[in-house]
Amino acid sequence: MNDDIDQVLIGRDDLDRRVTEVARQIAGDIGVAASGVGAAEITIVPILTGSIIFVSDLIRKLPLPMQIHLVSVSAYPGRSTRSRGARIRSQLTSLPEDLADAHVLVVDDILDTGGTLGIVRDLVLRSRPRSLRTCVLLRKRRPAAMAFPVDYVCFDIPDVFVVGCGLDYNGYYRNLPDIVTLRQEVTAGADA
Ligand code: 5GP
Ligand code: MG
């Protein structure tokens, strides 16, 4: 698996440091919003599958009472290194119909075209949350991503295909602890 790596873009220590920083910011913002008389709930909405590592790191740094409800979206099926358009996978989605008491934080691995965050945001808004914020580990430096409204971004990266820390190629590499690019030979059969 390590032989397939071309470059390490973000190492595990930098990831940890930055996630700690962003968690502090989120805890401040949502903690304040959700405090006081008739305190509101905090609901974390991780977007499966790519966000699992990031969200588990992030929420353990958020000392707030919270619930978790999953949403599953597929945009890069199989051997894709380009978005094929985001779709909700309803069997794996567990969003309550009513989120009227909740401050919601939607969490994803990477912001690319904005298609995924866009459809999840629309889905969450149907449950009428008290507030809605979005958070991504990575954002690609490309016009669509930079123009897309998002509340918290841990890192801006070049517009290249990356894996690790939850991000996959053809289902693999999610367990790599760093954000890396793959050697060209590895993704040679992609997008065929
Ligand atoms: P968007 O819907 O913003 O175009 O893309 C977001 C989704 O596409 C992410 O949740 C992620 O699953 C996938 N994605 C986008 N860029 C990459 C990338 O560079 N590597 C991997 N592995 N997945 C990506
Ligand atoms: Mg994803």
Side-chain angles (χ1 to χ4, degrees), residues 47 50 75-76 81 83 86 108-117 140 142 157 160-163 167-169:
I47 302 179
Y76 278 51
T81 64
S83 176
D108 204 5
D109 50 2
I110 187 165
L111 176 57
D112 180 10
T113 64
T116 301
L117 267 190
K140 288 193 180 169
R142 69 199 306 253
I157 61 164
V160 292
F161 185 74
V162 293
V163 298
L167 291 132
D168 75 305
Y169 171 62

mmCIF file with all atom_site columns, all heavy atoms in Angstrom, residues 47 50 75-76 81 83 86 108-117 140 142 157 160-163 167-169, ligand 1:
data_model
loop_
_atom_site.group_PDB
_atom_site.id
_atom_site.type_symbol
_atom_site.label_atom_id
_atom_site.label_alt_id
_atom_site.label_comp_id
_atom_site.label_asym_id
_atom_site.label_entity_id
_atom_site.label_seq_id
_atom_site.pdbx_PDB_ins_code
_atom_site.Cartn_x
_atom_site.Cartn_y
_atom_site.Cartn_z
_atom_site.occupancy
_atom_site.B_iso_or_equiv
_atom_site.pdbx_formal_charge
_atom_site.auth_seq_id
_atom_site.auth_comp_id
_atom_site.auth_asym_id
_atom_site.auth_atom_id
_atom_site.pdbx_PDB_model_num
ATOM   1   N N   . ILE A 1 47  ? -20.868 12.701 6.400   1.00 0.00 ? 47  ILE A N   1
ATOM   2   C CA  . ILE A 1 47  ? -21.205 12.177 5.076   1.00 0.00 ? 47  ILE A CA  1
ATOM   3   C C   . ILE A 1 47  ? -20.332 10.945 4.821   1.00 0.00 ? 47  ILE A C   1
ATOM   4   O O   . ILE A 1 47  ? -19.111 11.024 4.778   1.00 0.00 ? 47  ILE A O   1
ATOM   5   C CB  . ILE A 1 47  ? -20.995 13.244 3.977   1.00 0.00 ? 47  ILE A CB  1
ATOM   6   C CG1 . ILE A 1 47  ? -21.850 14.490 4.282   1.00 0.00 ? 47  ILE A CG1 1
ATOM   7   C CG2 . ILE A 1 47  ? -21.342 12.656 2.611   1.00 0.00 ? 47  ILE A CG2 1
ATOM   8   C CD1 . ILE A 1 47  ? -21.718 15.616 3.276   1.00 0.00 ? 47  ILE A CD1 1
ATOM   9   N N   . GLY A 1 50  ? -16.406 8.747  3.174   1.00 0.00 ? 50  GLY A N   1
ATOM   10  C CA  . GLY A 1 50  ? -15.101 9.410  3.267   1.00 0.00 ? 50  GLY A CA  1
ATOM   11  C C   . GLY A 1 50  ? -14.827 10.163 4.555   1.00 0.00 ? 50  GLY A C   1
ATOM   12  O O   . GLY A 1 50  ? -13.677 10.349 4.934   1.00 0.00 ? 50  GLY A O   1
ATOM   13  N N   . ALA A 1 75  ? -20.227 9.869  -4.971  1.00 0.00 ? 75  ALA A N   1
ATOM   14  C CA  . ALA A 1 75  ? -19.923 10.773 -6.094  1.00 0.00 ? 75  ALA A CA  1
ATOM   15  C C   . ALA A 1 75  ? -18.788 10.225 -6.951  1.00 0.00 ? 75  ALA A C   1
ATOM   16  O O   . ALA A 1 75  ? -18.693 10.530 -8.132  1.00 0.00 ? 75  ALA A O   1
ATOM   17  C CB  . ALA A 1 75  ? -19.541 12.159 -5.572  1.00 0.00 ? 75  ALA A CB  1
ATOM   18  N N   . TYR A 1 76  ? -17.927 9.399  -6.324  1.00 0.00 ? 76  TYR A N   1
ATOM   19  C CA  . TYR A 1 76  ? -16.742 8.869  -7.016  1.00 0.00 ? 76  TYR A CA  1
ATOM   20  C C   . TYR A 1 76  ? -16.801 7.343  -6.984  1.00 0.00 ? 76  TYR A C   1
ATOM   21  O O   . TYR A 1 76  ? -15.978 6.708  -6.337  1.00 0.00 ? 76  TYR A O   1
ATOM   22  C CB  . TYR A 1 76  ? -15.455 9.308  -6.297  1.00 0.00 ? 76  TYR A CB  1
ATOM   23  C CG  . TYR A 1 76  ? -14.935 10.684 -6.595  1.00 0.00 ? 76  TYR A CG  1
ATOM   24  C CD1 . TYR A 1 76  ? -15.744 11.798 -6.512  1.00 0.00 ? 76  TYR A CD1 1
ATOM   25  C CD2 . TYR A 1 76  ? -13.597 10.872 -6.943  1.00 0.00 ? 76  TYR A CD2 1
ATOM   26  C CE1 . TYR A 1 76  ? -15.241 13.065 -6.759  1.00 0.00 ? 76  TYR A CE1 1
ATOM   27  C CE2 . TYR A 1 76  ? -13.095 12.136 -7.187  1.00 0.00 ? 76  TYR A CE2 1
ATOM   28  C CZ  . TYR A 1 76  ? -13.910 13.224 -7.095  1.00 0.00 ? 76  TYR A CZ  1
ATOM   29  O OH  . TYR A 1 76  ? -13.402 14.470 -7.328  1.00 0.00 ? 76  TYR A OH  1
ATOM   30  N N   . THR A 1 81  ? -11.622 9.097  -10.527 1.00 0.00 ? 81  THR A N   1
ATOM   31  C CA  . THR A 1 81  ? -10.849 10.169 -9.891  1.00 0.00 ? 81  THR A CA  1
ATOM   32  C C   . THR A 1 81  ? -11.477 11.520 -10.227 1.00 0.00 ? 81  THR A C   1
ATOM   33  O O   . THR A 1 81  ? -10.918 12.557 -9.953  1.00 0.00 ? 81  THR A O   1
ATOM   34  C CB  . THR A 1 81  ? -9.367  10.165 -10.333 1.00 0.00 ? 81  THR A CB  1
ATOM   35  O OG1 . THR A 1 81  ? -9.300  10.426 -11.730 1.00 0.00 ? 81  THR A OG1 1
ATOM   36  C CG2 . THR A 1 81  ? -8.689  8.843  -10.018 1.00 0.00 ? 81  THR A CG2 1
ATOM   37  N N   . SER A 1 83  ? -15.565 13.514 -10.227 1.00 0.00 ? 83  SER A N   1
ATOM   38  C CA  . SER A 1 83  ? -16.930 13.373 -9.722  1.00 0.00 ? 83  SER A CA  1
ATOM   39  C C   . SER A 1 83  ? -17.878 12.915 -10.835 1.00 0.00 ? 83  SER A C   1
ATOM   40  O O   . SER A 1 83  ? -17.828 13.405 -11.950 1.00 0.00 ? 83  SER A O   1
ATOM   41  C CB  . SER A 1 83  ? -17.422 14.703 -9.153  1.00 0.00 ? 83  SER A CB  1
ATOM   42  O OG  . SER A 1 83  ? -18.764 14.561 -8.749  1.00 0.00 ? 83  SER A OG  1
ATOM   43  N N   . ALA A 1 86  ? -23.222 13.733 -7.482  1.00 0.00 ? 86  ALA A N   1
ATOM   44  C CA  . ALA A 1 86  ? -23.510 13.203 -6.158  1.00 0.00 ? 86  ALA A CA  1
ATOM   45  C C   . ALA A 1 86  ? -24.930 12.657 -6.060  1.00 0.00 ? 86  ALA A C   1
ATOM   46  O O   . ALA A 1 86  ? -25.862 13.240 -6.599  1.00 0.00 ? 86  ALA A O   1
ATOM   47  C CB  . ALA A 1 86  ? -23.308 14.318 -5.128  1.00 0.00 ? 86  ALA A CB  1
ATOM   48  N N   . ASP A 1 108 ? -17.759 16.649 5.983   1.00 0.00 ? 108 ASP A N   1
ATOM   49  C CA  . ASP A 1 108 ? -17.315 15.834 4.847   1.00 0.00 ? 108 ASP A CA  1
ATOM   50  C C   . ASP A 1 108 ? -15.793 15.832 4.753   1.00 0.00 ? 108 ASP A C   1
ATOM   51  O O   . ASP A 1 108 ? -15.122 16.664 5.372   1.00 0.00 ? 108 ASP A O   1
ATOM   52  C CB  . ASP A 1 108 ? -17.941 16.319 3.538   1.00 0.00 ? 108 ASP A CB  1
ATOM   53  C CG  . ASP A 1 108 ? -17.992 15.195 2.499   1.00 0.00 ? 108 ASP A CG  1
ATOM   54  O OD1 . ASP A 1 108 ? -17.640 14.044 2.813   1.00 0.00 ? 108 ASP A OD1 1
ATOM   55  O OD2 . ASP A 1 108 ? -18.390 15.469 1.344   1.00 0.00 ? 108 ASP A OD2 1
ATOM   56  N N   . ASP A 1 109 ? -15.279 14.884 3.974   1.00 0.00 ? 109 ASP A N   1
ATOM   57  C CA  . ASP A 1 109 ? -13.831 14.767 3.815   1.00 0.00 ? 109 ASP A CA  1
ATOM   58  C C   . ASP A 1 109 ? -13.279 15.879 2.932   1.00 0.00 ? 109 ASP A C   1
ATOM   59  O O   . ASP A 1 109 ? -12.281 16.509 3.263   1.00 0.00 ? 109 ASP A O   1
ATOM   60  C CB  . ASP A 1 109 ? -13.448 13.379 3.268   1.00 0.00 ? 109 ASP A CB  1
ATOM   61  C CG  . ASP A 1 109 ? -14.246 12.973 2.036   1.00 0.00 ? 109 ASP A CG  1
ATOM   62  O OD1 . ASP A 1 109 ? -15.084 13.770 1.553   1.00 0.00 ? 109 ASP A OD1 1
ATOM   63  O OD2 . ASP A 1 109 ? -14.041 11.841 1.552   1.00 0.00 ? 109 ASP A OD2 1
ATOM   64  N N   . ILE A 1 110 ? -13.911 16.113 1.783   1.00 0.00 ? 110 ILE A N   1
ATOM   65  C CA  . ILE A 1 110 ? -13.303 17.034 0.817   1.00 0.00 ? 110 ILE A CA  1
ATOM   66  C C   . ILE A 1 110 ? -14.367 17.763 -0.001  1.00 0.00 ? 110 ILE A C   1
ATOM   67  O O   . ILE A 1 110 ? -15.402 17.190 -0.318  1.00 0.00 ? 110 ILE A O   1
ATOM   68  C CB  . ILE A 1 110 ? -12.316 16.258 -0.096  1.00 0.00 ? 110 ILE A CB  1
ATOM   69  C CG1 . ILE A 1 110 ? -11.519 17.204 -1.006  1.00 0.00 ? 110 ILE A CG1 1
ATOM   70  C CG2 . ILE A 1 110 ? -13.007 15.194 -0.906  1.00 0.00 ? 110 ILE A CG2 1
ATOM   71  C CD1 . ILE A 1 110 ? -10.296 16.533 -1.647  1.00 0.00 ? 110 ILE A CD1 1
ATOM   72  N N   . LEU A 1 111 ? -14.105 19.019 -0.249  1.00 0.00 ? 111 LEU A N   1
ATOM   73  C CA  . LEU A 1 111 ? -14.986 19.839 -1.079  1.00 0.00 ? 111 LEU A CA  1
ATOM   74  C C   . LEU A 1 111 ? -14.334 19.976 -2.450  1.00 0.00 ? 111 LEU A C   1
ATOM   75  O O   . LEU A 1 111 ? -13.231 20.507 -2.573  1.00 0.00 ? 111 LEU A O   1
ATOM   76  C CB  . LEU A 1 111 ? -15.174 21.207 -0.413  1.00 0.00 ? 111 LEU A CB  1
ATOM   77  C CG  . LEU A 1 111 ? -15.981 22.265 -1.159  1.00 0.00 ? 111 LEU A CG  1
ATOM   78  C CD1 . LEU A 1 111 ? -17.379 21.785 -1.500  1.00 0.00 ? 111 LEU A CD1 1
ATOM   79  C CD2 . LEU A 1 111 ? -16.071 23.536 -0.317  1.00 0.00 ? 111 LEU A CD2 1
ATOM   80  N N   . ASP A 1 112 ? -15.044 19.460 -3.467  1.00 0.00 ? 112 ASP A N   1
ATOM   81  C CA  . ASP A 1 112 ? -14.489 19.415 -4.821  1.00 0.00 ? 112 ASP A CA  1
ATOM   82  C C   . ASP A 1 112 ? -15.385 20.252 -5.743  1.00 0.00 ? 112 ASP A C   1
ATOM   83  O O   . ASP A 1 112 ? -15.105 21.417 -5.990  1.00 0.00 ? 112 ASP A O   1
ATOM   84  C CB  . ASP A 1 112 ? -14.372 17.942 -5.228  1.00 0.00 ? 112 ASP A CB  1
ATOM   85  C CG  . ASP A 1 112 ? -13.802 17.746 -6.620  1.00 0.00 ? 112 ASP A CG  1
ATOM   86  O OD1 . ASP A 1 112 ? -13.327 18.716 -7.216  1.00 0.00 ? 112 ASP A OD1 1
ATOM   87  O OD2 . ASP A 1 112 ? -13.826 16.607 -7.119  1.00 0.00 ? 112 ASP A OD2 1
ATOM   88  N N   . THR A 1 113 ? -16.507 19.674 -6.203  1.00 0.00 ? 113 THR A N   1
ATOM   89  C CA  . THR A 1 113 ? -17.441 20.477 -7.017  1.00 0.00 ? 113 THR A CA  1
ATOM   90  C C   . THR A 1 113 ? -18.487 21.165 -6.145  1.00 0.00 ? 113 THR A C   1
ATOM   91  O O   . THR A 1 113 ? -19.148 22.099 -6.589  1.00 0.00 ? 113 THR A O   1
ATOM   92  C CB  . THR A 1 113 ? -18.194 19.592 -8.026  1.00 0.00 ? 113 THR A CB  1
ATOM   93  O OG1 . THR A 1 113 ? -18.998 18.664 -7.289  1.00 0.00 ? 113 THR A OG1 1
ATOM   94  C CG2 . THR A 1 113 ? -17.238 18.855 -8.936  1.00 0.00 ? 113 THR A CG2 1
ATOM   95  N N   . GLY A 1 114 ? -18.693 20.671 -4.919  1.00 0.00 ? 114 GLY A N   1
ATOM   96  C CA  . GLY A 1 114 ? -19.750 21.185 -4.053  1.00 0.00 ? 114 GLY A CA  1
ATOM   97  C C   . GLY A 1 114 ? -21.054 20.416 -4.212  1.00 0.00 ? 114 GLY A C   1
ATOM   98  O O   . GLY A 1 114 ? -22.010 20.639 -3.484  1.00 0.00 ? 114 GLY A O   1
ATOM   99  N N   . GLY A 1 115 ? -21.075 19.473 -5.156  1.00 0.00 ? 115 GLY A N   1
ATOM   100 C CA  . GLY A 1 115 ? -22.296 18.688 -5.397  1.00 0.00 ? 115 GLY A CA  1
ATOM   101 C C   . GLY A 1 115 ? -22.751 17.940 -4.156  1.00 0.00 ? 115 GLY A C   1
ATOM   102 O O   . GLY A 1 115 ? -23.942 17.949 -3.808  1.00 0.00 ? 115 GLY A O   1
ATOM   103 N N   . THR A 1 116 ? -21.808 17.306 -3.468  1.00 0.00 ? 116 THR A N   1
ATOM   104 C CA  . THR A 1 116 ? -22.154 16.494 -2.301  1.00 0.00 ? 116 THR A CA  1
ATOM   105 C C   . THR A 1 116 ? -22.695 17.362 -1.161  1.00 0.00 ? 116 THR A C   1
ATOM   106 O O   . THR A 1 116 ? -23.792 17.123 -0.652  1.00 0.00 ? 116 THR A O   1
ATOM   107 C CB  . THR A 1 116 ? -20.910 15.711 -1.811  1.00 0.00 ? 116 THR A CB  1
ATOM   108 O OG1 . THR A 1 116 ? -20.465 14.884 -2.872  1.00 0.00 ? 116 THR A OG1 1
ATOM   109 C CG2 . THR A 1 116 ? -21.234 14.876 -0.597  1.00 0.00 ? 116 THR A CG2 1
ATOM   110 N N   . LEU A 1 117 ? -21.930 18.372 -0.774  1.00 0.00 ? 117 LEU A N   1
ATOM   111 C CA  . LEU A 1 117 ? -22.390 19.240 0.331   1.00 0.00 ? 117 LEU A CA  1
ATOM   112 C C   . LEU A 1 117 ? -23.706 19.894 -0.033  1.00 0.00 ? 117 LEU A C   1
ATOM   113 O O   . LEU A 1 117 ? -24.576 20.081 0.816   1.00 0.00 ? 117 LEU A O   1
ATOM   114 C CB  . LEU A 1 117 ? -21.355 20.325 0.631   1.00 0.00 ? 117 LEU A CB  1
ATOM   115 C CG  . LEU A 1 117 ? -20.320 20.054 1.696   1.00 0.00 ? 117 LEU A CG  1
ATOM   116 C CD1 . LEU A 1 117 ? -19.549 21.329 2.006   1.00 0.00 ? 117 LEU A CD1 1
ATOM   117 C CD2 . LEU A 1 117 ? -20.969 19.529 2.979   1.00 0.00 ? 117 LEU A CD2 1
ATOM   118 N N   . LYS A 1 140 ? -10.405 21.686 -2.420  1.00 0.00 ? 140 LYS A N   1
ATOM   119 C CA  . LYS A 1 140 ? -9.501  21.800 -3.574  1.00 0.00 ? 140 LYS A CA  1
ATOM   120 C C   . LYS A 1 140 ? -9.463  23.233 -4.065  1.00 0.00 ? 140 LYS A C   1
ATOM   121 O O   . LYS A 1 140 ? -10.505 23.889 -4.181  1.00 0.00 ? 140 LYS A O   1
ATOM   122 C CB  . LYS A 1 140 ? -9.962  20.871 -4.692  1.00 0.00 ? 140 LYS A CB  1
ATOM   123 C CG  . LYS A 1 140 ? -9.699  19.429 -4.364  1.00 0.00 ? 140 LYS A CG  1
ATOM   124 C CD  . LYS A 1 140 ? -9.861  18.530 -5.566  1.00 0.00 ? 140 LYS A CD  1
ATOM   125 C CE  . LYS A 1 140 ? -9.570  17.106 -5.152  1.00 0.00 ? 140 LYS A CE  1
ATOM   126 N NZ  . LYS A 1 140 ? -9.949  16.140 -6.199  1.00 0.00 ? 140 LYS A NZ  1
ATOM   127 N N   . ARG A 1 142 ? -9.880  25.000 -6.580  1.00 0.00 ? 142 ARG A N   1
ATOM   128 C CA  . ARG A 1 142 ? -10.444 25.125 -7.919  1.00 0.00 ? 142 ARG A CA  1
ATOM   129 C C   . ARG A 1 142 ? -11.653 26.034 -7.777  1.00 0.00 ? 142 ARG A C   1
ATOM   130 O O   . ARG A 1 142 ? -12.263 26.102 -6.690  1.00 0.00 ? 142 ARG A O   1
ATOM   131 C CB  . ARG A 1 142 ? -10.806 23.752 -8.481  1.00 0.00 ? 142 ARG A CB  1
ATOM   132 C CG  . ARG A 1 142 ? -11.967 23.116 -7.761  1.00 0.00 ? 142 ARG A CG  1
ATOM   133 C CD  . ARG A 1 142 ? -12.078 21.616 -7.952  1.00 0.00 ? 142 ARG A CD  1
ATOM   134 N NE  . ARG A 1 142 ? -12.114 21.178 -9.318  1.00 0.00 ? 142 ARG A NE  1
ATOM   135 C CZ  . ARG A 1 142 ? -13.219 20.717 -9.916  1.00 0.00 ? 142 ARG A CZ  1
ATOM   136 N NH1 . ARG A 1 142 ? -14.370 20.675 -9.289  1.00 0.00 ? 142 ARG A NH1 1
ATOM   137 N NH2 . ARG A 1 142 ? -13.151 20.298 -11.143 1.00 0.00 ? 142 ARG A NH2 1
ATOM   138 N N   . ILE A 1 157 ? -6.020  22.441 -0.636  1.00 0.00 ? 157 ILE A N   1
ATOM   139 C CA  . ILE A 1 157 ? -4.982  21.642 -1.317  1.00 0.00 ? 157 ILE A CA  1
ATOM   140 C C   . ILE A 1 157 ? -5.049  21.918 -2.823  1.00 0.00 ? 157 ILE A C   1
ATOM   141 O O   . ILE A 1 157 ? -6.073  22.410 -3.321  1.00 0.00 ? 157 ILE A O   1
ATOM   142 C CB  . ILE A 1 157 ? -5.157  20.123 -1.063  1.00 0.00 ? 157 ILE A CB  1
ATOM   143 C CG1 . ILE A 1 157 ? -6.509  19.626 -1.596  1.00 0.00 ? 157 ILE A CG1 1
ATOM   144 C CG2 . ILE A 1 157 ? -5.003  19.796 0.406   1.00 0.00 ? 157 ILE A CG2 1
ATOM   145 C CD1 . ILE A 1 157 ? -6.587  18.107 -1.741  1.00 0.00 ? 157 ILE A CD1 1
ATOM   146 N N   . VAL A 1 160 ? -5.752  18.141 -7.130  1.00 0.00 ? 160 VAL A N   1
ATOM   147 C CA  . VAL A 1 160 ? -5.250  16.818 -7.523  1.00 0.00 ? 160 VAL A CA  1
ATOM   148 C C   . VAL A 1 160 ? -6.056  15.764 -6.775  1.00 0.00 ? 160 VAL A C   1
ATOM   149 O O   . VAL A 1 160 ? -6.710  16.067 -5.779  1.00 0.00 ? 160 VAL A O   1
ATOM   150 C CB  . VAL A 1 160 ? -3.750  16.644 -7.171  1.00 0.00 ? 160 VAL A CB  1
ATOM   151 C CG1 . VAL A 1 160 ? -2.888  17.560 -8.020  1.00 0.00 ? 160 VAL A CG1 1
ATOM   152 C CG2 . VAL A 1 160 ? -3.500  16.885 -5.676  1.00 0.00 ? 160 VAL A CG2 1
ATOM   153 N N   . PHE A 1 161 ? -6.014  14.516 -7.249  1.00 0.00 ? 161 PHE A N   1
ATOM   154 C CA  . PHE A 1 161 ? -6.740  13.431 -6.612  1.00 0.00 ? 161 PHE A CA  1
ATOM   155 C C   . PHE A 1 161 ? -5.929  12.900 -5.427  1.00 0.00 ? 161 PHE A C   1
ATOM   156 O O   . PHE A 1 161 ? -4.776  12.521 -5.585  1.00 0.00 ? 161 PHE A O   1
ATOM   157 C CB  . PHE A 1 161 ? -7.000  12.303 -7.617  1.00 0.00 ? 161 PHE A CB  1
ATOM   158 C CG  . PHE A 1 161 ? -7.843  11.202 -7.046  1.00 0.00 ? 161 PHE A CG  1
ATOM   159 C CD1 . PHE A 1 161 ? -9.206  11.371 -6.848  1.00 0.00 ? 161 PHE A CD1 1
ATOM   160 C CD2 . PHE A 1 161 ? -7.264  9.988  -6.675  1.00 0.00 ? 161 PHE A CD2 1
ATOM   161 C CE1 . PHE A 1 161 ? -9.983  10.355 -6.299  1.00 0.00 ? 161 PHE A CE1 1
ATOM   162 C CE2 . PHE A 1 161 ? -8.029  8.968  -6.128  1.00 0.00 ? 161 PHE A CE2 1
ATOM   163 C CZ  . PHE A 1 161 ? -9.393  9.155  -5.946  1.00 0.00 ? 161 PHE A CZ  1
ATOM   164 N N   . VAL A 1 162 ? -6.542  12.906 -4.247  1.00 0.00 ? 162 VAL A N   1
ATOM   165 C CA  . VAL A 1 162 ? -5.835  12.473 -3.034  1.00 0.00 ? 162 VAL A CA  1
ATOM   166 C C   . VAL A 1 162 ? -6.563  11.311 -2.362  1.00 0.00 ? 162 VAL A C   1
ATOM   167 O O   . VAL A 1 162 ? -7.771  11.118 -2.566  1.00 0.00 ? 162 VAL A O   1
ATOM   168 C CB  . VAL A 1 162 ? -5.691  13.635 -2.012  1.00 0.00 ? 162 VAL A CB  1
ATOM   169 C CG1 . VAL A 1 162 ? -4.776  14.727 -2.545  1.00 0.00 ? 162 VAL A CG1 1
ATOM   170 C CG2 . VAL A 1 162 ? -7.052  14.211 -1.621  1.00 0.00 ? 162 VAL A CG2 1
ATOM   171 N N   . VAL A 1 163 ? -5.813  10.548 -1.566  1.00 0.00 ? 163 VAL A N   1
ATOM   172 C CA  . VAL A 1 163 ? -6.406  9.482  -0.749  1.00 0.00 ? 163 VAL A CA  1
ATOM   173 C C   . VAL A 1 163 ? -5.795  9.537  0.651   1.00 0.00 ? 163 VAL A C   1
ATOM   174 O O   . VAL A 1 163 ? -4.843  10.266 0.901   1.00 0.00 ? 163 VAL A O   1
ATOM   175 C CB  . VAL A 1 163 ? -6.162  8.074  -1.359  1.00 0.00 ? 163 VAL A CB  1
ATOM   176 C CG1 . VAL A 1 163 ? -6.808  7.923  -2.719  1.00 0.00 ? 163 VAL A CG1 1
ATOM   177 C CG2 . VAL A 1 163 ? -4.666  7.744  -1.425  1.00 0.00 ? 163 VAL A CG2 1
ATOM   178 N N   . LEU A 1 167 ? -10.281 9.051  2.678   1.00 0.00 ? 167 LEU A N   1
ATOM   179 C CA  . LEU A 1 167 ? -10.503 9.182  1.226   1.00 0.00 ? 167 LEU A CA  1
ATOM   180 C C   . LEU A 1 167 ? -9.973  7.939  0.493   1.00 0.00 ? 167 LEU A C   1
ATOM   181 O O   . LEU A 1 167 ? -8.872  7.478  0.794   1.00 0.00 ? 167 LEU A O   1
ATOM   182 C CB  . LEU A 1 167 ? -9.796  10.433 0.706   1.00 0.00 ? 167 LEU A CB  1
ATOM   183 C CG  . LEU A 1 167 ? -10.419 11.735 1.189   1.00 0.00 ? 167 LEU A CG  1
ATOM   184 C CD1 . LEU A 1 167 ? -9.373  12.683 1.714   1.00 0.00 ? 167 LEU A CD1 1
ATOM   185 C CD2 . LEU A 1 167 ? -11.222 12.386 0.078   1.00 0.00 ? 167 LEU A CD2 1
ATOM   186 N N   . ASP A 1 168 ? -10.738 7.446  -0.478  1.00 0.00 ? 168 ASP A N   1
ATOM   187 C CA  . ASP A 1 168 ? -10.390 6.183  -1.118  1.00 0.00 ? 168 ASP A CA  1
ATOM   188 C C   . ASP A 1 168 ? -10.103 6.329  -2.608  1.00 0.00 ? 168 ASP A C   1
ATOM   189 O O   . ASP A 1 168 ? -10.451 7.316  -3.235  1.00 0.00 ? 168 ASP A O   1
ATOM   190 C CB  . ASP A 1 168 ? -11.552 5.199  -0.983  1.00 0.00 ? 168 ASP A CB  1
ATOM   191 C CG  . ASP A 1 168 ? -12.698 5.541  -1.941  1.00 0.00 ? 168 ASP A CG  1
ATOM   192 O OD1 . ASP A 1 168 ? -13.179 6.691  -1.899  1.00 0.00 ? 168 ASP A OD1 1
ATOM   193 O OD2 . ASP A 1 168 ? -13.076 4.676  -2.753  1.00 0.00 ? 168 ASP A OD2 1
ATOM   194 N N   . TYR A 1 169 ? -9.449  5.270  -3.137  1.00 0.00 ? 169 TYR A N   1
ATOM   195 C CA  . TYR A 1 169 ? -9.464  5.036  -4.579  1.00 0.00 ? 169 TYR A CA  1
ATOM   196 C C   . TYR A 1 169 ? -9.954  3.612  -4.757  1.00 0.00 ? 169 TYR A C   1
ATOM   197 O O   . TYR A 1 169 ? -9.329  2.673  -4.228  1.00 0.00 ? 169 TYR A O   1
ATOM   198 C CB  . TYR A 1 169 ? -8.073  5.225  -5.211  1.00 0.00 ? 169 TYR A CB  1
ATOM   199 C CG  . TYR A 1 169 ? -8.045  4.770  -6.655  1.00 0.00 ? 169 TYR A CG  1
ATOM   200 C CD1 . TYR A 1 169 ? -8.853  5.409  -7.600  1.00 0.00 ? 169 TYR A CD1 1
ATOM   201 C CD2 . TYR A 1 169 ? -7.274  3.692  -7.068  1.00 0.00 ? 169 TYR A CD2 1
ATOM   202 C CE1 . TYR A 1 169 ? -8.868  4.993  -8.917  1.00 0.00 ? 169 TYR A CE1 1
ATOM   203 C CE2 . TYR A 1 169 ? -7.274  3.272  -8.382  1.00 0.00 ? 169 TYR A CE2 1
ATOM   204 C CZ  . TYR A 1 169 ? -8.083  3.921  -9.302  1.00 0.00 ? 169 TYR A CZ  1
ATOM   205 O OH  . TYR A 1 169 ? -8.114  3.503  -10.613 1.00 0.00 ? 169 TYR A OH  1
HETATM 206 P P1  . 5GP B 2 .   ? -18.005 17.092 -4.637  1.00 0.00 ? 1   5GP B P1  1
HETATM 207 O O1  . 5GP B 2 .   ? -19.396 16.527 -4.511  1.00 0.00 ? 1   5GP B O1  1
HETATM 208 O O2  . 5GP B 2 .   ? -17.724 18.341 -3.860  1.00 0.00 ? 1   5GP B O2  1
HETATM 209 O O3  . 5GP B 2 .   ? -17.586 17.185 -6.067  1.00 0.00 ? 1   5GP B O3  1
HETATM 210 O O4  . 5GP B 2 .   ? -17.015 16.012 -4.104  1.00 0.00 ? 1   5GP B O4  1
HETATM 211 C C1  . 5GP B 2 .   ? -17.036 15.622 -2.842  1.00 0.00 ? 1   5GP B C1  1
HETATM 212 C C2  . 5GP B 2 .   ? -16.910 14.126 -2.732  1.00 0.00 ? 1   5GP B C2  1
HETATM 213 O O5  . 5GP B 2 .   ? -16.163 13.548 -3.813  1.00 0.00 ? 1   5GP B O5  1
HETATM 214 C C3  . 5GP B 2 .   ? -16.138 13.862 -1.492  1.00 0.00 ? 1   5GP B C3  1
HETATM 215 O O6  . 5GP B 2 .   ? -17.025 13.563 -0.443  1.00 0.00 ? 1   5GP B O6  1
HETATM 216 C C4  . 5GP B 2 .   ? -15.280 12.679 -1.860  1.00 0.00 ? 1   5GP B C4  1
HETATM 217 O O7  . 5GP B 2 .   ? -15.957 11.502 -1.526  1.00 0.00 ? 1   5GP B O7  1
HETATM 218 C C5  . 5GP B 2 .   ? -15.129 12.729 -3.356  1.00 0.00 ? 1   5GP B C5  1
HETATM 219 N N1  . 5GP B 2 .   ? -13.837 13.333 -3.754  1.00 0.00 ? 1   5GP B N1  1
HETATM 220 C C6  . 5GP B 2 .   ? -13.619 14.558 -4.253  1.00 0.00 ? 1   5GP B C6  1
HETATM 221 N N2  . 5GP B 2 .   ? -12.317 14.788 -4.499  1.00 0.00 ? 1   5GP B N2  1
HETATM 222 C C7  . 5GP B 2 .   ? -11.685 13.645 -4.145  1.00 0.00 ? 1   5GP B C7  1
HETATM 223 C C8  . 5GP B 2 .   ? -10.292 13.259 -4.130  1.00 0.00 ? 1   5GP B C8  1
HETATM 224 O O8  . 5GP B 2 .   ? -9.351  13.973 -4.512  1.00 0.00 ? 1   5GP B O8  1
HETATM 225 N N3  . 5GP B 2 .   ? -10.035 12.009 -3.673  1.00 0.00 ? 1   5GP B N3  1
HETATM 226 C C9  . 5GP B 2 .   ? -10.995 11.151 -3.248  1.00 0.00 ? 1   5GP B C9  1
HETATM 227 N N4  . 5GP B 2 .   ? -10.610 9.965  -2.827  1.00 0.00 ? 1   5GP B N4  1
HETATM 228 N N5  . 5GP B 2 .   ? -12.301 11.488 -3.234  1.00 0.00 ? 1   5GP B N5  1
HETATM 229 C C10 . 5GP B 2 .   ? -12.641 12.726 -3.671  1.00 0.00 ? 1   5GP B C10 1
#
